[in-house]
Amino acid sequence: HPLVAHLLVLPVLCLVVHAIRDDEVSPRRKDALSSSELGRSYGYRKTITFIRHAQSAGNAIIPGVIEQGRWDAFKDGKLTNKGKATVEGKAQALIDTDRALLERVINAEIVLVSPLRRAMATAIIFLAKAKQLIRDKEGEEERPGVYSYETRGAIIGGTYYPPDFGEDHLPKIMVNADLREKYGTESDRPGADGKEDAMEYVRGIAEACGNRWFLNKNALDKTVAQLNKSYRAERKRTHGWLPDPEDGYQFRQQIMNFKTYLDGIVPQSVFIVGHNAWSRFAFASFMPVAGTEDIGRNMRFGTRKVLTLRNVGLIKAQFEDGVFSRVSIDPGDVSGSDPKYALLVSREEALAQRVVPVGAYFDQILISREKTFMRKASSSRYKRLILTFASTSLGIKTVSWTDKFGAIKDAEDSSFQIGHNLFVRQTKLTPKEATFDLKITNIHDTHMLILKSFNFMLPADDVPRLQALLETYGGHLQLLS
């Protein structure tokens, strides 16, 4: 009977949904696509807490070299002693000012962390200290004036067993390669130290936390095992942490990959431990503006100048359908001394935050512009730029360019209104790359005046994208036959 069949199938469906809910989908795996789509179809809204790592040897520079006794201490740098103390201090401050946030972190369904040592160490110290603070706070509330952690222990056969050992395990933690920092030096390459296995350093941090706060150096073994397994899996998946995000275009794609992964997993409470530039790009539409907001400039260049997140600075947000929203950043967690540009990773977020004009569109492509002169014979003939095509709601279209990480050098000389005055001619094509010359003219004068011209190169695979951009935003493209 149809009704009987329906009643028999329903419990099975419930079990399937429950099983999906209890685990996360593997990132960007072909066999995970259907599960990822299923996760999105259920509309899981994520509660996100992000923290930037504490001070590392690379941040400290000279003091870091002196403290760690190595000129190359910046390579996948460890936390300085000041950095470790700052993590503890951050958790200690939150137990009194925002206990709910600390509880949200310690009760996260999953912790996602960058594979760089400074991020993994920050994650362990912050989580362990938060667990200790909340545990002791609850104990004092239950037994005012007489509580201490040791009073909950027991001596059995002359051996001391830490109390509630199982509860002292931290939330599930996983390394995610797409949380890496943009690449500038060997400070930003996982494992670049080459002298100590990253997991040995992590284990040492965990054992110190276990001894101090759980009376057993092995109390955090499960956390270390989870980090070790996911670290090695991600290193294998990325063929040794490749590609390096050496420009803003690659870096933006890396962040978009992470957002796709985040969109597809089922855990709804997520704690993320990452980096300064990563947070600046991922939350570019939400970070406090540096100076006066210029939404027209933001649109034309596809970038925004913002204040940066301090070490152990926190960001609270929600995430759904690939988009961050309801982002909250404490003013004390941002630095006003070193503002930087960040590419607007999400047009939808930029429009929602009104950091670009209503109805604006912009698209970008990475090119390699030929240098007009070379300072050294051994240097490259090209420098990477990000070319941005933009259009207002009134149909006014522009082409602009920034350096490879989205910084604007000269807004007046790097942005032009276009229509039928943009000419791009292909000059060479090989299986791997294509070269072009670009000219922008003044079409309002009787005599055509060239306003800007330069030669550039891009991978052959990107030629169709360039062609599509010119068709959308205007311009003449002449390809070799």
Side-chain angles (χ1 to χ4, degrees), residues 134-205:
I134 291 171
R135 177 201 65 207
D136 290 355
K137 197 79 169 178
E138 291 173 347
E140 177 62 29
E141 289 167 352
E142 292 170 6
R143 302 172 63 187
V146 298
Y147 169 80
S148 71
Y149 179 48
E150 289 79 359
T151 62
R152 296 169 64 188
I155 297 177
I156 303 175
T159 301
Y160 178 78
Y161 291 87
D164 305 322
F165 186 81
E167 293 178 12
D168 287 330
H169 289 315
L170 306 183
K172 181 176 182 180
I173 188 167
M174 293 178 65
V175 167
N176 188 295
D178 290 325
L179 286 169
R180 286 173 295 162
E181 181 65 302
K182 69 178 180 64
Y183 183 80
T185 69
E186 293 291 88
S187 171
D188 306 316
R189 178 174 285 136
D193 172 36
K195 297 179 180 178
E196 179 188 16
D197 184 84
M199 287 300 107
E200 289 304 310
Y201 170 66
V202 167
R203 180 173 295 281
I205 293 289

Side-chain angles (χ1 to χ4, degrees), residues 188-301:
D188 306 316
R189 178 174 285 136
D193 172 36
K195 297 179 180 178
E196 179 188 16
D197 184 84
M199 287 300 107
E200 289 304 310
Y201 170 66
V202 167
R203 180 173 295 281
I205 293 289
E207 288 180 353
C209 292
N211 269 330
R212 287 185 63 191
W213 299 318
F214 306 112
L215 308 179
N216 188 310
K217 74 173 187 176
N218 300 317
L220 306 180
D221 277 359
K222 182 178 179 180
T223 297
V224 174
Q226 290 171 343
L227 278 171
N228 181 53
K229 181 179 179 180
S230 57
Y231 180 91
R232 300 191 189 286
E234 284 290 88
R235 183 175 62 188
K236 181 178 180 181
R237 181 181 68 80
T238 58
H239 306 288
W241 313 112
L242 296 175
D244 288 320
E246 294 180 321
D247 57 67
Y249 197 73
Q250 287 181 313
F251 195 43
R252 184 183 68 172
Q253 186 58 54
Q254 177 183 299
I255 292 170
M256 290 170 66
N257 289 342
F258 177 80
K259 293 176 79 172
T260 299
Y261 166 75
L262 189 60
D263 201 30
I265 65 173
V266 176
Q268 294 173 268
S269 178
V270 184
F271 181 45
I272 300 171
V273 186
H275 303 274
N276 178 17
W278 196 99
S279 64
R280 190 169 74 246
F281 276 59
F283 298 100
S285 297
F286 305 92
M287 298 298 293
V289 67
T292 303
E293 192 82 79
D294 186 336
I295 63 174
R297 184 187 64 185
N298 295 347
M299 175 201 71
R300 293 196 313 276
F301 290 93

